[in-house]
Each structure stands twice: as C-alpha cells, then as structure tokens.
Amino acid sequence: MKKQVLLFALTALILSCETDKKEDNKTVNYVKESHSYAQPNTSVIKHLDLNIDVDFDTKTINGTATYTIENNNASEIILDSKFLDIVRVEADGKDTPFTLGDFDEQLGQPLSIVIKNDTKHISVHYKTTNKTEALQWLNPQQTTDKTNPFLFTQGQAILTRTWIPIQDSPQIRITYDATVHVPKHLMAVMSAENPKQKTADGSYSFKMKQPISPYLIALAVGDLEYKAVSHRTGVYAEKSLVDKAQSEFSDMEKMVVAAENLYGDYDWDQFDVIVLPPSFPFGGMENPRLTFATPTVIAGDKSLTSLIAHELAHSWSGNLVTNATWNDFWLNEGFTVYFEIRIMEALYGKDRANMIALIGRQDLEEEVEGFKHEPDMTKLKLDLTNKNPDDGMNSIAYDKGYLFLRTLEEKVGREKFDAFLKNYFKVNAFSTVTTEGFVDYLNSNLLEPNGIKFNVDEWVYQPGIPDNQAIIVSNKFKNVENTLGSFIDNQSVDVSKTTAWTTQEWVHFIRNFPETITIDDLKRFDEAFNLTNTSNSHVAMVWYEQTINHDYHGKNVDRHIEDFLIRVGRRWYVSTLYKAYKRNDKVDEALAIYKKARANYHSVTAKTIDDMLGYGG
Ligand code: BES
Ligand code: ZN
C-alpha cells in the first residue's frame, strides 16, 4: 500500500515537473540526434539576433549571429557549422576562444565556444563561403524577369548550418530577430514578419516571435512585389508573375479556414507564399509565415494548388509539432499529406481528394519496388545514422505515412480521429515528437480508450505495406483506365471522352500506359492531346518520362525535355526524368543534358543527380 502511494506521488511529481518545464519553455531532455554536434542538454540557444549583409558581388553573406543561451552550468557551447568562415567569437561582449573540430562530409564541423557558467549571450562573427549548400545565388538570366539577381536559402534538412552557425537539430526551438542589408533596388523577405514594400536604403528588419526549428529559418532576396489575397494571405513574386500568382492562389484564405476548422487555429498570423525562380529545388518549402514555392505550380487553372494546401498543413504538422529527429521525418510529411488531402476534400470534394491520394498510392508502389533490396528503407521510423537525412526523404514518409493515417481514420471513424488529431496538435504545440512518443500517445489517447486493436507497430517499425491498408477508390480513375484501354484496343482516339478531364486524370492516364504500348499509340495520343506541348508541369513530367521509357521521339519531344531539365530545378521532377534515362540504359543522353543543366541547379538537386548518374566521382 505504502509503495503504491509513494509511486503515485512520484508519478505526479514527474508529470508536474514536465508540464512546468514546458510552460516556461525550458525544454526537457533532448533525445540523441545523429545529425547535429550540439549538446543541448548542457547549453542551448533560445533566441537568435542576426545581423547580416548580403553581397551579390562576392556571393557571400557576412555578419554576426548573437544568441541568448540557456546555460546549465556549462564551460562550452557547441554549434554546428559547415563551410563557414568563423572570424571571431564573443561571450557576453568579450572575445572568447573557440575551436572548429574535424570536418565531416554530412555534418560539417562542431564549433566549440568557451563560455563561463553564467554566460548569457554569445556572438559569432562569420562569412559564408562559395561552398555553401543552403544558398543559391542566381544571376539575372536565371530569374523570370531577367533584370536583377536573386538569392534564396534552403535549410531543410541540415543546411542552415551552411549559412548561419547554429545548433542545427529540429529539437532546438528559437525565436529570432534579423537585420538584413541588401542592394537598394532589391527586397528581402524571411520566415518572419515581412515587409510589403521595398525600403529606401535596402535595410530590412524581421521578427519571428514564435519559437521555430533552425531548418525553418529562411531568406529570399530579389526584385519582389507583394499582392494580398486576403487580410492574412498573399503572394510575393517578381513583377511579371505576381498577378498570375495572386489569381492562381486565390483560394488560399479558404484553405486556411478549412484547415482551422479541422485542427485548430492557425498560430502564425500571416500565411504568404513566395514564388521563386524555377531552379528552386522543391515544389514547396513550409518556411513559417512564408512558404517558398516553385513557379511550376502555376498552371493557370489552379490544378496544382494541393501543393499550397500541403505547405499550409505543415503550419500544424511540422512547424507547430515537429519531428524530433530526421529518423521521424514521416511525422512531418505523412501527417502533412493526410492534412493536405483533407483540406483539398473540404474545398473541392471527395473526387479530387481521392485522385490525389491515388497518385500518391502509385508513387508509393514504385518506391517500395525500388527499395526491394533495401526493405529497411520502407519503414516509417528510419535509422539514418551516418547517412544523409535526404536519403529518407522519399515517398515512404509521405505516402506510406498517409496510408497509415488514412487506414487508422477508417478504422476508428472520422469523428474520433479528427478529435484525436486536433488534441495532438494542441498538446504538442511548439514542441517536438519522436515516433515512439507518437505511438504512445496514439495508444493511450485513441486506441486503448476505444478498445480498438490496430497493428501500429507493424505499420511503423516493419517494412512494406500491411495487409489491412485502406483501399482508395476513384470512379474517375476507373473511367480513365477504361478509356485508355479502349483507345489502345481500337487504335483510335475519341477526344470527346476526355474533354472534362482534370490534370489528375491526365496524369493517371499517362502514367498507366501498358508496357506494350506502341509508338503509333503514343503518336496518336500526342497528335490528339498535344502532350509534348502541355503547359502543365506535372503532365509534362509524366509524359516525358513515358517518352523516355518507350523511345518516342515525335514532335521534337527531346528538345522539350532538354529545355525543361535546363530551366527547372525541382528535384522531384528532374530526378524522375534522369532516373528514367538511367533505367532505360540511356545514361549518356542523361549526362549530355545534365552537363548543360547542372549549373542551374541548387546544391540539393545537384547532389541527388550527381549520385544517381555517378557524375564527377
Ligand atoms: N518539406 C518539404 C520539402 C523538403 C523535404 C525539403 C525534404 C527538404 C527535405 C515540403 O513540404 C514538400 O513536401 N514539398 C513537396 C511538395 C508536396 C506537395 C509533396 C515537393 O517539394 O515536391
Ligand atoms: Zn511536406
């Protein structure tokens, strides 16, 4: 009996300590993180004051990063640094010794700074170098308007340390202020409270008052304009694109409202999107308050805007509740795909939502097949120790993560599932979660109270796709498959059957050509539907892939592919095409194009393609 009371008191004590700590933002134990040198349990950064000059002539950023630290009686603090030139370091205003440790290809170097046990602030004076991996410096030719240079950063997963010395783990949360000096005719914007107009002197001040993980610190500099979409949403883009962006994304406010109705208030005040030059390596990047997006999402008919829903959804899954380590990346992306598809359903209905889900389902099938000799890579919870976190950033996290959550939703019912998720975001707001933490939370807040048995461990910790997966059905896609079959059987095309098709139906049509399709079929389709000349980037990508697979060279498609690969740097698109060349024993063709295109790619895209084609190594 006594024992029980003691145990109870102890548990209550532990629980109350944990909540106390959370409330005053003194985060509890940080779990081991293999992609950062930081030792946050001893001394951790809490606030960043960044003061930098952006110099387009030398293509460098230089300045000072000053941190407010939480110091648990430490004699040193360790930051991550990669390809940075560290000039001088101060502790509470006085010069202090520092050392840069051995260089690691993935992680860079630990920057160890001597501090006293009562040191509260450290300042690092530094410069970026021409090896920086986060920054892409574009000359005017690489922009849309072709008259001014452009700069943007990409922090995820571990690149922030190549433009700011920092404790670069997703478990770290900091607020930040920044002063950024840029050439007078350009505008600077960040993942923070942003200007809507250029300043007269090229000096910009920023504030991010909510604590965010370092991979979400972002900066873009260019000849930008702003157009509002609603009182709290809007677009930044170069002059010739800004109106197109505004009308393409005109449903943004509706998306925010739909998202709030599902999982609680939008906590970041403003939701803007900046449309970057086409070399931006991702479709979108969820930098808080300011999503970075590829211009290839502007199709003219809003058909690719699920990408905006996706980046918006990260305002909850990812930015508010963050994966603790990159091994838990599926917690960011799987939840976000689920949430994205729910937003799309709320705005445009179940047909559209299921088509998007099925396109992802096919991606998943192909990814699992591609990993047939590395089944461990098809687990949701990964072990990326000694690997580049990028290795885990594939369809498994996104689409297996989605399928797991959708299967759960169907098992417990939407009402219970939504209440559970809403609470999960609320309870864990502004903190990080491990996979194990989520599994515990799921068991004790959804499954056990409702007496539901579910193979959670199989989904999360085992390879492949469990048998109880939800089966996603789309009558629209069934119709597409039948139509495709009939066009091939009849050796003729009935255009009237396709007039009402959406982008998703075209993508499904093209991706599901049978292995035995003939050049005549492809030619007939290209003549009837003008596929080679499509202005929709997703349709173009899947069509080009098929022309490579099946050796179709009509309508000058090879020229189009080459132009596309030189202009666009979106990694998912270009890697799909280079992979198709490789799979079809056409590496020489791929290399011939890659040699011309590589200079236009951001480092993350170039690295993926270098590895794929064995380029330069
Ligand atoms: N956060 C990701 C982009 C990312 C992933 C950057 C991994 C660095 C490492 C972003 O939210 C994303 O998933 N973008 C997708 C779009 C999407 C609709 C699936 C993309 O870029 O294609
Ligand atoms: Zn995402």
Side-chain angles (χ1 to χ4, degrees):
M1 188 66 194
K2 248 190 191 161
K3 242 189 197 164
Q4 266 177 357
V5 174
L6 195 70
L7 206 70
F8 177 78
L10 217 70
T11 321
L13 191 75
I14 292 169
L15 285 175
S16 73
C17 282
E18 289 220 333
T19 25
D20 282 358
K21 280 186 183 161
K22 240 183 204 166
E23 269 162 20
D24 63 10
N25 198 22
K26 286 198 176 164
T27 323
V28 259
N29 281 325
Y30 296 87
V31 302
K32 191 178 156 358
E33 156 69 76
S34 58
H35 295 111
S36 169
Y37 289 112
Q39 299 291 340
N41 287 316
T42 0
S43 45
V44 65
I45 58 172
K46 285 286 158 184
H47 178 79
L48 161 66
D49 205 333
L50 189 68
N51 194 325
I52 51 173
D53 291 332
V54 175
D55 184 343
F56 281 90
D57 295 330
T58 58
K59 298 196 168 134
T60 52
I61 285 180
N62 71 76
T64 307
T66 298
Y67 292 100
T68 310
I69 64 174
E70 190 181 293
N71 182 346
N72 296 328
N73 239 327
S75 54
E76 66 168 7
I77 183 164
I78 303 175
L79 309 187
D80 294 293
S81 166
K82 192 176 184 192
F83 301 132
L84 292 176
D85 186 358
I86 307 295
V87 180
R88 190 160 66 83
V89 182
E90 292 163 81
D92 284 338
K94 294 200 188 87
D95 279 7
T96 191
F98 66 91
T99 48
L100 276 167
D102 290 346
F103 179 83
D104 176 275
E105 199 62 50
Q106 311 290 353
L107 307 183
Q109 293 170 286
L111 169 61
S112 313
I113 299 167
V114 173
I115 56 173
K116 301 208 178 96
N117 57 9
D118 62 350
T119 299
K120 295 205 169 47
H121 295 98
I122 51 163
S123 293
V124 183
H125 303 268
Y126 73 98
K127 282 196 192 85
T128 61
T129 62
N130 61 7
K131 289 199 169 133
T132 177
E133 294 169 323
L135 304 177
Q136 192 176 12
W137 299 90
L138 299 172
N139 59 44
Q141 270 314 310
Q142 293 168 294
T143 66
T144 306
D145 290 350
K146 316 230 179 289
T147 41
N148 283 290
F150 205 106
L151 165 71
F152 64 82
T153 66
Q154 168 59 39
Q156 199 179 13
I158 53 171
L159 304 183
T160 298
R161 66 190 69 177
T162 76
W163 77 284
I164 310 174
I166 200 162
Q167 292 185 317
D168 198 7
S169 150
Q171 290 180 87
I172 305 295
R173 276 188 180 264
I174 56 167
T175 50
Y176 76 83
D177 294 324
T179 306
V180 180
H181 304 278
V182 305
K184 256 185 212 154
H185 51 285
L186 302 183
M187 195 197 283
V189 288
M190 292 191 79
S191 51
E193 231 172 276
N194 271 313
K196 294 195 167 146
Q197 268 162 351
K198 286 179 193 155
T199 60
D201 62 355
S203 172
Y204 292 87
S205 299
F206 302 93
K207 190 178 229 15
M208 168 43 80
K209 61 176 193 271
Q210 290 99 334
I212 62 169
S213 295
Y215 74 90
L216 295 169
I217 303 174
L219 168 71
V221 181
D223 188 2
L224 296 167
E225 290 189 11
Y226 180 75
K227 289 254 161 113
V229 169
S230 71
H231 65 288
R232 57 169 169 178
T233 68
V235 293
Y236 290 87
E238 292 177 62
K239 197 185 189 66
S240 69
L241 260 186
V242 74
D243 288 327
K244 282 187 203 129
Q246 187 192 33
S247 56
E248 194 81 11
F249 304 150
S250 62
D251 288 343
M252 269 196 312
E253 175 64 26
K254 282 187 212 145
M255 287 182 177
V256 181
V257 171
E260 289 191 307
N261 286 338
L262 282 166
Y263 302 130
D265 289 348
Y266 179 74
D267 261 326
W268 309 87
D269 306 325
Q270 188 75 22
F271 179 71
D272 292 325
V273 174
I274 177 172
V275 180
L276 294 163
S279 67
F280 184 61
F282 296 101
M285 176 64 215
E286 66 272 24
N287 299 313
R289 298 182 66 118
L290 182 65
T291 280
F292 283 25
T294 169
T296 63
V297 68
I298 300 181
D301 59 2
K302 304 188 190 180
S303 62
L304 301 177
T305 56
S306 60
L307 184 135
I308 302 298
H310 179 97
E311 304 313 334
L312 169 66
H314 274 305
S315 306
W316 288 259
S317 42
N319 299 359
L320 195 61
V321 180
T322 308
N323 52 205
T325 75
W326 298 116
N327 294 333
D328 310 299
F329 181 61
W330 77 276
L331 289 177
N332 272 18
E333 296 300 341
F335 278 67
T336 297
V337 173
Y338 178 81
F339 197 170
E340 162 203 334
I341 292 176
R342 292 293 304 274
I343 295 170
M344 294 307 282
E345 181 186 322
L347 262 72
Y348 310 109
K350 273 203 190 322
D351 273 350
R352 174 98 176 251
N354 278 332
M355 289 193 285
I356 297 170
L358 276 170
I359 289 173
R361 186 67 190 78
Q362 190 167 349
D363 292 337
L364 176 59
E365 208 59 40
E366 289 169 12
E367 199 79 85
V368 171
E369 171 66 22
F371 280 128
K372 67 175 175 234
H373 302 301
E374 278 176 280
D376 280 354
M377 290 301 291
T378 68
K379 296 176 178 173
L380 286 178
K381 168 85 188 193
L382 293 171
D383 180 6
L384 298 167
T385 317
N386 300 324
K387 289 192 177 147
N388 187 325
D390 258 21
D391 294 354
M393 298 181 167
N394 54 49
S395 179
I396 303 300
Y398 288 78
D399 300 308
K400 183 177 172 183
Y402 168 75
L403 196 58
F404 170 43
L405 297 175
R406 176 156 176 163
T407 305
L408 264 174
E409 179 212 311
E410 291 188 6
K411 176 86 183 174
V412 304
R414 188 170 267 194
E415 206 181 321
K416 284 203 178 80
F417 195 60
D418 281 352
F420 163 77
L421 280 185
K422 192 171 183 171
N423 222 30
Y424 168 72
F425 290 129
K426 194 170 149 195
V427 171
N428 295 295
F430 297 107
S431 68
T432 44
V433 178
T434 59
T435 298
E436 295 72 16
F438 170 71
V439 168
D440 279 353
Y441 187 83
L442 172 67
N443 283 326
S444 49
N445 289 280
L446 184 65
L447 300 178
E448 281 156 18
N450 290 297
I452 294 168
K453 292 249 171 297
F454 196 88
N455 51 341
V456 179
D457 286 355
E458 183 185 0
W459 274 95
V460 173
Y461 301 113
Q462 297 299 320
I465 304 164
D467 290 341
N468 65 331
Q469 63 180 286
I471 303 298
I472 306 160
V473 180
S474 161
N475 290 329
K476 300 239 175 228
F477 275 8
K478 283 199 176 136
N479 171 56
V480 167
E481 289 153 28
N482 293 336
T483 307
L484 171 61
S486 73
F487 288 175
I488 289 177
D489 291 346
N490 302 338
Q491 299 193 6
S492 81
V493 165
D494 176 358
V495 180
S496 73
K497 294 216 156 128
T498 66
T499 41
W501 280 5
T502 59
T503 293
Q504 285 69 37
E505 285 155 292
W506 282 110
V507 166
H508 192 66
F509 176 80
I510 296 165
R511 278 180 99 186
N512 289 283
F513 293 164
E515 272 307 310
T516 52
I517 195 163
T518 64
I519 299 284
D520 279 346
D521 294 323
L522 294 167
K523 199 166 158 214
R524 232 182 334 267
F525 293 165
D526 203 8
E527 295 295 333
F529 308 121
N530 211 5
L531 297 170
T532 292
N533 290 300
T534 178
S535 57
N536 186 294
S537 62
H538 196 176
V539 174
M541 195 267 286
V542 293
W543 169 248
Y544 296 159
E545 184 185 16
Q546 292 289 24
T547 68
I548 297 167
N549 286 342
H550 297 285
D551 257 316
Y552 169 79
H553 301 283
K555 288 213 174 193
N556 247 327
V557 67
D558 301 285
R559 237 276 68 89
H560 283 83
I561 299 177
E562 178 167 328
D563 289 350
F564 185 86
L565 286 172
I566 289 173
R567 188 171 46 85
V568 174
R570 185 175 178 182
R571 181 167 70 175
W572 171 44
Y573 282 178
V574 304
S575 64
T576 302
L577 296 178
Y578 288 115
K579 212 189 279 169
Y581 281 116
K582 189 175 166 181
R583 196 175 50 235
N584 291 286
D585 294 324
K586 298 175 182 175
V587 174
D588 289 349
E589 279 171 59
L591 282 170
I593 299 175
Y594 187 47
K595 280 179 190 149
K596 297 186 213 167
R598 192 179 185 280
N600 192 42
Y601 293 163
H602 183 273
S603 76
V604 305
T605 299
K607 171 143 198 353
T608 300
I609 310 302
D610 284 354
D611 291 350
M612 184 190 296
L613 301 179
Y615 185 82

